[in-house]
Amino acid sequence: MNDFVAPTIDWAAVSPVLIVLAAGVLGVLLEAFVPAKARRATQLTLTLAALAGSLVAVGLLWERVQENAVSVVGGSYLLTPFGLGVQAVIGVCALLGVLVVAERTTTGQDAFAPSAAAVPGTAYEDETRRAGLQQTEIYPLLLFSTGGMLLFPATDDLIVMFVALEVLSLPLYVLCATARRRRLLSQEAAFKYFVLGAFASALFVFGIALVYGFAGTVRLQGVVQVLADPAVSPLGSMTALVVVGLLLVLSGLLFKIGAAPLHAWTPDVYQGAPTPITGFMAACTKAAAMGALVRVLFTLANGLSPAVRHDVEVALWAVAILTMLIGTVVGAVQTDVKRLLAYSAIAHAGFLLVGVVGMDEAGSRAVLFYLLAYGLASVGAFAVVTLVRERTVSGDDDTAERGAGGPVPDDGVVLGEATRLAQWTGLGRQAPWLTAAFSLFLLSMAGIPLTAGFVAKFGVFSAAVEAGAWPLALLGVLASAVSVFFYVRVIVLMVLTPPPGGEQGTTSTGAASSGTTDGGEQGGGSGGSGGTATVTGAATRTLVSRTVVTVVGSRGPAAFAIAVCAVGVLLLGILPSGALDLVGQAAQFRP
C-alpha cells in the first residue's frame, strides 16, 4: 500500500495567481446569488479588487524572488524574477483593460450584448435589449483569463503551461463573440479564433509529446539535463526529435503573440471582437505568451548543443523577418482603424522576436520593457476607439441639401464604433484632447523619441546587436521606419486634414402619411426613434437619414484609463531610468 504524501505548497508564492482565480470562482457564485440590479457593481468591484490585490502580492514577493527563485510542487510553479516581472506587466494592463470594459459612456450602454446567447436579428434579441439586460458574466471570464496569463510564464512544467494556455484562451473565445453591435462579425471572429486556436493547441501538445519522448520528462530543467548528457536519454542522440518538438511548442506560443505565419487570426479577431476585449487581448495575451516563449527558449538555451541552438535561431530569424514584413507592408494599406492596429500588433510581435534571438539577459530585459510600453499604448489606443462612434441624424430633404451648414436634427441613435479611417478626418477639431492622446499612442508604437516606444525599440535592437544579430536589428529598424507611415497617416487625417463639407454616411428616404415612423436599432446598436415625416394636404415631405461621426462622452473609467496610459507612455519615454532599473532586476533567470 502506497502512502500519499501531500506536497508542501508555498501559498504566498502562488498568491498572485490564486487571488485572481479565486475571485473568478467567487464571481461565478455572485452571478447566481446577487440580485440583478446590484450584480454589475459587485462584479466590477470584485474584479478590480482582485487585480489590485494580485499586483500587491507581486510587490510583496519582489525582494524575496530577487534572492532566489521559488519552486512550488517540484517546479510546477516556478517563480523567477522574470516571471514575476511579466506578472506585474499583465496585472497593470489587465487593471487598465477592465476599466475600459466597464465603460458605459454617456449612452448608458457598454460594448457587450444584453444576451450573448440570443441569435442576432431575432425577436428574443430585441426583447433582451428592451428589457435592459446586462451581461455581467464577462467579469469572471476576464478573471479566469487573467489567472491563466499569470500562470503561463511562471511554470517549469510543459503540461501545466498547456493548462494555463487553455485557461487563458477559452474565456477569450467566448468574450470575442459578445459584441453588442455587429453581432455576426463578432461571432465569426470568435469562431475563427476558436478553430485556429484549437490547431495551435494541438501543435503545442504534439510538441510536448515529442519532447517527452526524447527526454522522458516534461519539466524544462529535466530536458536541459538530458540535453547536457544525451546518454541518459532512452533514445540516445536523436536530437532531431527534440528539435521538432521544441519548434512545435514554440509554434503554439507564436500563435498567441500573433507572429507570422500564424498571424492570420489577428486582423479578423481584432476587428470583430468587442473593442475593450481587443485592447485587453492585445496587451495582456501578448505579454503572457511572450513571457512563456522567453522562459522556454532561455531555459533550454543552456542545454542546447551548438547545432541545435543554431537551428532554433534560424527559425526565430525567419519568423521575425516574416512577421515584421507582413505587419508593416500589409498594415500600410489598411483602411480600418482596428485592422490597422491589428497589423501593428503583428509588426510589434516581430520586433519582440528580434530582442530574444540572443537568448540572453539583455534580451529578456528589453522584452520586458517593450511589453510594458506596448501594453500601455495598446490599451489606451483601443480605449479611444471605443469613444469614436457613428450617430444617425435626420431631417427633411431641404435640410439635407444644406449639408453641414444647415441645422440637422439629431435623432439620438448612437451606433457602433466609427472604424473606417475616412471617418476620422478632422476629428482633432471635434475632440482635441482625445485626438492628442491617440496621436501619442500611435507615436509611441512608431518608436518616436520621447515616448516609451522609442526606448523599447532601442532596447530590443541593441540586444540583437549585442548578440551578433545586427542584420536582423537593421531589418527591424527599416521595418520600424516603414511603419511610421501608417501611424502618421492617421495623425494627419485627424489633425491636419479638414473635415468634409457634409456629413458622411448612407442616405435613406421614405414617405409617411401621418404621425411618426419609428426606426429600429441599426447594426445592433442602441434603440431609438428614427426620422419623422409630416403631411400637409396632398404634399409629402421626404425624410433623409444619414450617419455622422461623433465622440461620446466617458463616464469616467475609460477616460481614466486613457489618462493613465498617456502619462505612462510619456514618463517611460522621458524618464525611463526607474522602470529600466526594475526590469533589470526582473530580467534574471534562476531556475
Side-chain angles (χ1 to χ4, degrees):
M1 180 176 177
N2 295 326
D3 294 329
F4 174 74
V5 179
T8 301
I9 298 177
D10 188 346
W11 296 109
V14 191
S15 58
V17 180
L18 192 62
I19 291 173
V20 174
L21 293 179
V25 175
L26 182 58
V28 174
L29 296 177
L30 292 179
E31 285 295 313
F33 297 107
V34 174
K37 292 183 179 180
R39 198 173 294 158
R40 180 181 180 275
T42 305
Q43 290 281 24
L44 179 58
T45 302
L46 174 65
T47 302
L48 294 176
L51 294 174
S54 179
L55 280 174
V56 171
V58 168
L60 295 176
L61 288 169
W62 191 265
E63 293 296 332
R64 176 185 173 187
V65 175
Q66 294 302 314
E67 299 175 357
N68 193 20
V70 179
S71 178
V72 180
V73 194
S76 294
Y77 185 86
L78 182 63
L79 193 60
T80 63
F82 181 81
L84 195 63
V86 174
Q87 289 182 343
V89 173
I90 294 171
V92 170
C93 295
L95 192 60
L96 295 172
V98 168
L99 289 176
V100 182
V101 169
E103 177 60 58
R104 300 183 67 181
T105 74
T106 52
T107 65
Q109 297 174 337
D110 56 24
F112 302 93
S115 176
V119 178
T122 60
Y124 176 67
E125 184 186 38
D126 294 336
E127 291 176 3
T128 60
R129 189 181 303 118
R130 285 192 294 267
L133 298 183
Q134 299 182 50
Q135 190 166 272
T136 54
E137 298 92 339
I138 56 175
Y139 296 105
L141 290 174
L142 286 171
L143 286 172
F144 284 126
S145 182
T146 304
M149 294 174 187
L150 294 173
L151 179 60
F152 206 25
T155 177
D156 190 54
D157 192 308
L158 291 176
I159 296 297
V160 177
M161 191 175 291
F162 171 72
V163 172
L165 174 64
E166 296 304 299
V167 171
L168 77 89
S169 298
L170 292 176
L172 292 178
Y173 299 151
V174 177
L175 290 170
C176 287
T178 59
R180 174 179 289 272
R181 302 165 184 89
R182 302 185 180 98
R183 292 286 312 282
L184 291 177
L185 183 64
S186 175
Q187 293 180 355
E188 178 187 357
F191 184 73
K192 289 179 179 178
Y193 193 20
F194 170 72
V195 172
L196 296 177
F199 279 108
S201 297
L203 293 177
F204 192 91
V205 172
F206 191 43
I208 293 174
L210 293 180
V211 171
Y212 180 79
F214 172 80
T217 179
V218 293
R219 299 286 173 85
L220 293 176
Q221 287 304 307
V223 176
V224 169
Q225 294 175 2
V226 173
L227 288 171
D229 185 11
V232 178
S233 171
L235 296 182
S237 60
M238 292 179 61
T239 55
L241 195 66
V242 74
V243 172
V244 175
L246 179 58
L247 292 179
L248 289 175
V249 169
L250 295 180
S251 296
L253 298 175
L254 292 172
F255 172 86
K256 300 306 295 185
I257 68 172
L262 304 169
H263 69 286
W265 64 274
T266 309
D268 292 337
V269 174
Y270 275 40
Q271 183 182 24
T275 303
I277 299 302
T278 305
F280 177 82
M281 287 193 303
C284 300
T285 305
K286 193 178 295 292
M290 201 67 206
L293 179 69
V294 169
R295 169 175 284 281
V296 172
L297 281 177
F298 287 32
T299 302
L300 296 179
N302 296 327
L304 295 177
S305 65
V308 174
R309 178 164 178 155
H310 178 265
D311 292 339
V312 174
E313 289 180 351
V314 169
L316 287 176
W317 275 57
V319 172
I321 293 173
L322 185 61
T323 303
M324 291 187 294
L325 181 65
I326 292 176
T328 54
V329 174
V330 183
V333 297
Q334 295 303 307
T335 59
D336 184 275
V337 174
K338 292 177 73 174
R339 292 186 72 89
L340 185 148
L341 292 175
Y343 280 101
S344 168
I346 295 171
H348 284 287
F351 298 143
L352 284 164
L353 292 175
V354 171
V356 304
V357 292
M359 304 182 196
D360 54 15
E361 186 174 314
S364 62
R365 180 172 60 250
V367 165
L368 197 55
F369 186 89
Y370 202 114
L371 291 174
L372 178 60
Y374 174 74
L376 292 176
S378 293
V379 173
F382 283 106
V384 172
V385 174
T386 63
L387 301 179
V388 182
R389 302 286 188 86
E390 293 177 340
R391 187 191 70 210
T392 59
V393 295
S394 59
D396 57 30
D397 49 0
D398 294 332
T399 302
E401 291 178 359
R402 290 194 292 269
V408 182
D410 183 0
D411 66 6
V413 179
V414 177
L415 308 177
E417 291 92 355
T419 59
R420 288 184 291 115
L421 281 179
Q423 296 176 300
W424 289 58
T425 302
L427 188 66
R429 303 186 183 187
Q430 185 178 358
W433 289 107
L434 201 67
T435 302
F438 193 67
S439 301
L440 176 63
F441 299 139
L442 294 180
L443 292 175
S444 180
M445 293 181 185
I448 302 302
L450 300 183
T451 64
F454 172 78
V455 181
K457 288 187 176 182
F458 181 83
V460 294
F461 296 152
S462 298
V465 172
E466 291 180 15
W470 65 266
L472 189 59
L474 179 60
L475 290 174
V477 172
L478 294 176
S480 183
V482 173
S483 68
V484 172
F485 163 74
F486 56 80
Y487 294 125
V488 174
R489 180 179 57 148
V490 180
I491 298 175
V492 170
L493 277 175
M494 295 188 298
V495 180
L496 302 179
T497 305
E503 286 90 357
Q504 297 181 357
T506 58
T507 301
S508 60
T509 61
S513 58
S514 63
T516 301
T517 302
D518 293 332
E521 185 176 3
Q522 302 185 28
S526 57
S529 61
T532 61
T534 59
V535 180
T536 305
T540 302
R541 300 179 65 184
T542 303
L543 174 69
V544 178
S545 180
R546 288 169 294 169
T547 301
V548 298
V549 177
T550 186
V551 177
V552 297
S554 168
R555 290 190 171 183
F560 180 76
I562 292 171
V564 171
C565 291
V567 171
V569 166
L570 281 176
L571 288 179
L572 291 177
I574 299 174
L575 301 171
S577 57
L580 290 175
D581 290 340
L582 289 175
V583 298
Q585 297 175 18
Q588 303 176 42
F589 286 81
R590 300 195 188 96

